[in-house]
């Protein structure tokens, strides 16, 4: 009995759908809407074909331009692929207003308008958005929402999601609230990250500021931007900040126990930036033997790059609690010395002038704070030991930069003046006679 009732109900639904489709096919209003839909698309296609090359030419700045207006033009240029579906959406909307005023209905053309909007959303997600987080949100949230809107099912779906409550302890929220939170939060924090990148680039170009002050300003801007983004998300979603008191207490307990190292490193990083004793570009060496050029200072750690291209992650706390040798001190000069020896047959009174003049020819060797200084260091087993001290701007790149060039200059200067550079020699003394055997 139940099977026959279900079959009878399905048959009635099929008859109603057939009657609706038959009425739609025979309706002049439906055909006129379909014709207007085609006209709107053709018009959008023709306008887009003419306007797209013009817009591309106007929005493409020269490659050498990097100012704010050029960056804005490049940003707008990315959205040119949306021109066709948006024009079709606009012209279809005009056609919808005409059909509703003439026939009193516009269901067909309204459906076409929603389809064009869905196409625009699909192009946006597939071709324009490149950020991984926003691409995931677009693929699994924005495109399905646009598809439901195009089919006219968005309102029932939202109502169903709003009625579906997810319990979470003493709290509960609907699936619709969770989806809205993901979309709004993701968009705001993406915008915050983009704003942070732009502000960092602007601050790092301010060369009149000390490097430490630039880093500190950049960190302050980062904290401010994401703090505002967090408060904005809470406000948009209607979440009272007083309800976060329990969460804040839990975070405080975590900082007191498991997160104390992270908090210590964060505060140490702020102290480093405030004092300016070590900043990006400095070559430092720690007590533990880690040495390299500071290439980045994060909230938790400082990144050192060694001469062989490796990165060393050093917690900020180590810069506060251990001894740190800063060879650069924001670009100050450094002293090196190159040892060498000459033969005992040499007139050693001539050596200082010859070597100092030769080393001074190197373009990287400085006259201040002191010019090259050749000193007698001792009398060795094989020759007379000298060393020339010289100052350069920056750090010797391993063993084969300033030092190698200076040693070449010393070698050539000594050879040009016929001064012998000794090599180790040993004298063997034999006592007594040497017996020989006759065969």
């Amino acid at each position: 009995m139940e099977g026959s009732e279900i079959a009878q109900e399905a048959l009635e639904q099929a008859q109603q759908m057939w009657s609706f489709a038959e009425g739609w096919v025979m309706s002049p209003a439906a055909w006129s809407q379909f014709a207007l839909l085609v006209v709107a698309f053709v018009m959008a296609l023709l306008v887009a074909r003419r306007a797209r090359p013009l817009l591309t030419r106007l929005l493409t700045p020269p490659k050498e331009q990097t100012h704010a207006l050029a960056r804005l033009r490049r940003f707008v240029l990315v959205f040119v692929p949306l021109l066709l579906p948006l024009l079709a959406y606009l012209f279809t909307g005009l056609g919808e207003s005409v059909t509703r005023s003439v026939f009193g209905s516009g269901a067909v053309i309204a459906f076409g308008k929603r389809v064009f909007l869905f196409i625009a959303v699909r192009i946006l997600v597939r071709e324009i958005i490149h950020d991984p987080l926003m691409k995931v949100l677009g693929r699994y949230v924005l495109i399905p929402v646009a598809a439901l809107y195009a089919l006219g099912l968005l309102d029932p779906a939202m109502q169903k999601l709003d009625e579906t409550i997810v319990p979470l302890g003493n709290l509960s929220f609907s699936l619709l609230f969770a989806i809205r939170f993901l979309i709004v939060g993701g968009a705001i924090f993406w915008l915050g990250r983009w704003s942070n990148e732009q502000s960092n680039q602007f601050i790092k170009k301010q060369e009149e500021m000390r490097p430490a002050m630039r880093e500190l300003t950049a960190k302050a801007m980062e904290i401010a931007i994401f703090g505002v983004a967090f408060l904005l998300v809470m406000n948009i979603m209607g979440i009272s900040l007083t309800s976060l008191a329990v969460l804040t207490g839990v975070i405080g307990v975590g900082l007191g126990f498991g997160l104390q190292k992270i908090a210590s490193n964060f505060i140490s990083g702020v102290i480093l930036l405030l004092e300016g004793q070590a900043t990006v570009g400095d070559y430092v060496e720690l007590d533990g033997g880690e040495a390299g050029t500071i290439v980045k200072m994060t909230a938790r750690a400082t990144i050192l790059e060694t001469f062989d291209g490796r990165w060393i992650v050093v917690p900020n706390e180590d810069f506060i609690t251990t001894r740190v040798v800063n060879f650069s001190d924001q670009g100050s000069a450094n002293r090196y010395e190159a040892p060498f020896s000459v033969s005992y047959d040499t007139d050693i009174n001539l050596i200082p002038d010859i070597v100092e003049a030769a080393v001074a020819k190197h373009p990287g060797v400085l006259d201040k704070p002191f010019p090259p200084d050749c000193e007698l260091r001792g009398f060795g087993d094989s020759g007379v030991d000298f060393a020339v001290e010289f100052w350069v701007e920056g750090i010797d790149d391993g063993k084969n930069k300033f030092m190698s060039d200076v040693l070449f200059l010393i070698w050539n200067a000594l050879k040009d003046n016929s001064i012998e550079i000794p090599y180790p020699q040993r004298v063997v003394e034999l006592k007594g006679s040497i017996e020989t055997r006759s065969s």
Side-chain angles (χ1 to χ4, degrees), residues 333-340 351-352 355-362 364-377 385-392 402-403 406-407 409-410:
N334 293 277
R335 191 193 72 174
Y336 294 94
E337 63 176 42
F340 64 96
I351 297 301
V355 173
E356 289 171 3
V359 175
K361 295 178 182 178
H362 192 285
V365 175
L366 305 175
D367 292 331
K368 296 180 180 180
F370 300 102
D373 180 25
C374 184
E375 300 176 351
L376 176 64
R377 292 297 173 86
D385 297 331
F386 284 87
V388 59
E389 297 175 349
F390 60 95
W391 290 77
V392 292
F402 297 121
M403 186 66 68
V406 168
L407 290 174
L409 291 171
I410 294 172

Side-chain angles (χ1 to χ4, degrees), residues 130-330:
H130 298 289
D131 182 80
L133 174 61
M134 297 303 297
K135 206 169 188 67
V136 169
L137 289 176
R139 184 178 301 167
Y140 296 106
V141 178
L142 190 58
I143 288 181
V145 168
L148 291 173
Y149 176 72
L151 296 173
L153 301 176
L154 182 60
D155 290 338
M158 291 181 64
Q159 182 178 357
K160 185 65 176 177
L161 291 173
D162 195 27
E163 294 172 354
T164 305
I165 304 299
V166 178
L168 186 62
N170 295 328
L171 302 175
S172 61
F173 55 89
S174 65
L175 285 179
L176 180 62
F177 176 85
I179 294 174
R180 287 174 55 195
F181 184 82
L182 287 175
I183 296 174
V184 174
I188 290 179
F189 277 97
W190 175 84
L191 183 61
R193 189 173 68 176
W194 179 82
S195 302
N196 182 53
E197 291 175 355
Q198 299 302 315
S199 62
N200 278 343
Q201 292 178 6
F202 175 76
I203 291 171
K204 290 179 179 179
K205 291 179 181 178
Q206 309 307 310
E207 298 181 356
E208 64 275 6
M209 298 174 63
R210 293 172 54 245
M213 185 56 65
R214 289 201 299 265
E215 290 294 324
L216 181 61
T217 305
K219 291 299 176 188
M221 287 294 297
E222 181 178 1
I223 294 172
I225 288 173
F226 284 104
V228 170
F230 174 76
L231 295 176
L232 191 60
V233 170
M234 295 297 104
N235 186 42
I236 291 176
M237 300 308 298
I239 301 175
S240 175
L241 295 179
T242 57
S243 63
L244 300 177
V246 176
L247 179 61
T248 305
V250 172
I251 294 176
V253 174
L255 288 175
F257 291 97
L259 302 179
Q260 58 181 344
K261 279 291 184 183
I262 296 177
S264 175
N265 286 320
F266 176 78
I267 296 172
S268 298
V270 174
I271 294 173
L272 280 174
L273 293 173
L274 285 173
E275 292 183 346
Q277 299 300 323
T279 187
V280 174
D282 288 354
Y283 184 87
V284 297
E285 182 178 351
L286 280 70
D287 265 352
E290 300 90 352
T293 303
I294 299 177
V295 295
K296 188 176 182 181
M297 299 181 73
T298 66
R300 186 190 67 84
T302 299
I303 312 298
L304 306 183
E305 185 177 11
T306 62
F307 286 128
D308 55 3
R310 299 179 183 179
W311 278 21
I312 303 175
V313 181
V314 181
N316 290 329
E317 186 181 10
D318 291 356
F319 282 84
I320 303 297
T321 59
T322 61
R323 185 177 67 92
V324 179
V325 179
N326 191 337
F327 291 91
S328 297
D329 191 19
Q330 300 175 12

